Structure formats: structure tokens, C-alpha cells
Amino acid sequence: MMKSILFGLLCTLATSTMYAQVFSGLEEIDKAKKEGFYTYVNSEEKYVIEAWKKYLKQAGSVENGRNGGTLNVYSAKIKEISDKPVSLLSKVSEEKNKTKLFVSISTGPDAYIQTGHESFREASNWVEEFVRLINLEEDVRMEEKKLNELITNKSKQQKLADRFVRELDSNKRQNELLTKKLEEAKVEKEKILANQEQNRLDLKSNEDAILLQAQKLETAKQKIK
């Protein structure tokens, strides 16, 4: 029994997180306070404005308000909310690092859809559907961003791999040059050693010749005496 209750609560919580929370409130639109309801969207303001304008076009001709982020449909046909055209004013704005979507829908003079209005649930569902759609778009953007990051990282890694290949090739050429120089130095050393040995022999021969010539000189001097 306890497990069933727990499972039911988890299902309820999981279902509730799929939908946006909608609250009644007031917002200044085109320098006038308007009654309506609002929610927060998990996406950047520029994306919300673009998606919201596209969503509103299904209801009628969309007009930009005096201030940025204000979008209005003065004769909106939203069958999910009303059989008759309604006046819809809306505003997308940044609020505490969140994107806020405020919607004011009037079904008649001073008759605004808020908590307690007979069409509040339908209006909430209509806005929640928009949030669901933009959340899907945001998921696409996030996955696309991750893919682009992976592609960028791959490009950086490929450039690094190419650099290592060039460095190895340069190192190989340097080793070949050093090996050639070592061989040349070895040959040069052998020549120097051979020349040194020949010089030693020549020096010994010259010393022997000097000694012999000195002896001959001395013998010649002895004959004079």
C-alpha cells in the first residue's frame, strides 16, 4: 500500500514538472498596467520573443508594442480559450536571470483572464503548450551547442595532431642532419689522427736525421784537428 502511494506521488511530481507554472499578476505594457498571468521560460529572451511571435501568428496579426519584447494581437482567435476573438497583450522580459512571459487577455471591457476566471485553466494550458514547444526547441539548441563544441574540440585536437606530425618530421630531419654531421666528424677525426701519427713519424725521422748530421759534423771537425 505504501509503495503504491509513493509511486503515485512520484508520478504526480513527474507529470507536474512537464508543465510550466502559471501565476496571476500585473505588468506594465506600453505604459499601462495590465492584469493577466505570467510564467518563466527556460530560454534566452531573444529566443522566447522569436518563438512567441511565431506562436501568436496562429491567433492573428501580431503587432509590436512601444517597448521591446511587447507583442500584441488585438483580435486574437484562440479556440482553446474562447469562441470569440479576444484582445491579447504580452511582454517578454528578463527578470532575475530568468525570462518572464506575461500575457494579458481580455474577453470584454475590464474582463481579464486571471485566477478564478472561467477560462483561466484553458488559457494556462495554451501558454503551457507554448512553453512545452519552446522547451523542445531549447533542447535542440542545447544538443546543437554540444555537437558544435565537440566539432570544435575535434578540430582543435586535429590541429594538435597535425602539429605533432610536423614536429616529429622536423625532429627526424634534425636527427638525420646530426647523424650526418657525426659521421663527417668521425671521418674528420680519423683524418686528424692519421695526420697526427704521420707528423709524429716525420718528427722522429727529422730528429734522427739531425742527430746523424750532428755526428757527421763532429767527425768532420775531428779530421781538421
Side-chain angles (χ1 to χ4, degrees):
M1 180 66 179
M2 192 65 183
K3 289 183 179 180
S4 298
I5 295 174
L6 181 60
F7 179 76
L9 288 172
L10 289 173
C11 288
T12 301
L13 288 172
T15 303
S16 63
T17 57
M18 293 172 62
Y19 300 97
Q21 290 183 302
V22 179
F23 310 93
S24 293
L26 293 172
E27 184 74 32
E28 184 176 301
I29 298 179
D30 293 341
K31 298 183 179 181
K33 286 288 185 179
K34 297 294 181 180
E35 299 179 30
F37 52 93
Y38 64 92
T39 189
Y40 293 101
V41 185
N42 184 31
S43 187
E44 292 182 37
E45 181 181 358
K46 60 181 181 180
Y47 296 131
V48 177
I49 292 174
E50 182 182 349
W52 180 239
K53 187 172 186 178
K54 181 180 178 181
Y55 191 70
L56 288 178
K57 284 182 179 180
Q58 301 175 43
S61 178
V62 182
E63 297 183 22
N64 294 320
R66 297 177 184 175
N67 301 320
T70 302
L71 298 170
N72 305 321
V73 182
Y74 293 105
S75 184
K77 297 178 181 179
I78 310 173
K79 62 181 180 180
E80 293 88 348
I81 299 175
S82 174
D83 294 332
K84 298 179 181 179
V86 296
S87 179
L88 184 152
L89 284 71
S90 65
K91 183 178 180 181
V92 179
S93 60
E94 287 284 342
E95 185 178 284
K96 297 179 180 179
N97 297 322
K98 296 180 180 180
T99 302
K100 180 180 179 181
L101 171 62
F102 178 85
V103 182
S104 176
I105 299 176
S106 60
T107 56
D110 297 324
Y112 294 93
I113 296 178
Q114 286 185 306
T115 302
H117 192 282
E118 61 180 5
S119 299
F120 180 70
R121 184 65 265 170
E122 288 76 12
S124 297
N125 290 340
W126 182 70
V127 170
E128 287 171 359
E129 175 62 13
F130 164 73
V131 174
R132 185 187 71 82
L133 293 173
I134 197 171
N135 282 341
L136 293 176
E137 292 180 4
E138 186 64 23
D139 289 341
V140 171
R141 277 190 289 271
M142 291 300 296
E143 296 304 327
E144 186 177 24
K145 181 180 178 182
K146 291 176 183 178
L147 176 60
N148 289 334
E149 287 175 351
L150 289 172
I151 292 173
T152 300
N153 288 336
K154 180 180 180 295
S155 178
K156 290 180 180 178
Q157 291 168 354
Q158 186 60 53
K159 289 180 180 178
L160 191 61
D162 294 341
R163 195 188 81 186
F164 287 148
V165 170
R166 292 194 300 271
E167 289 178 352
L168 283 172
D169 186 58
S170 176
N171 182 263
K172 180 182 178 182
R173 290 196 302 270
Q174 289 177 6
N175 283 334
E176 291 173 349
L177 183 61
L178 288 173
T179 300
K180 183 179 179 180
K181 287 184 177 181
L182 285 172
E183 290 295 330
E184 291 174 350
K186 183 179 179 181
V187 172
E188 185 66 22
K189 179 183 178 182
E190 291 174 352
K191 288 181 180 180
I192 293 172
L193 289 174
N195 291 335
Q196 185 183 44
E197 179 60 20
Q198 184 60 48
N199 178 263
R200 187 185 66 79
L201 294 173
D202 291 344
L203 185 59
K204 179 67 170 61
S205 176
N206 188 262
E207 288 175 349
D208 292 343
I210 291 173
L211 181 59
L212 180 60
Q213 188 60 36
Q215 290 175 350
K216 289 180 178 180
L217 177 60
E218 186 61 29
T219 300
K221 286 180 178 181
Q222 290 296 331
K223 289 180 180 181
I224 296 175
K225 295 178 181 180

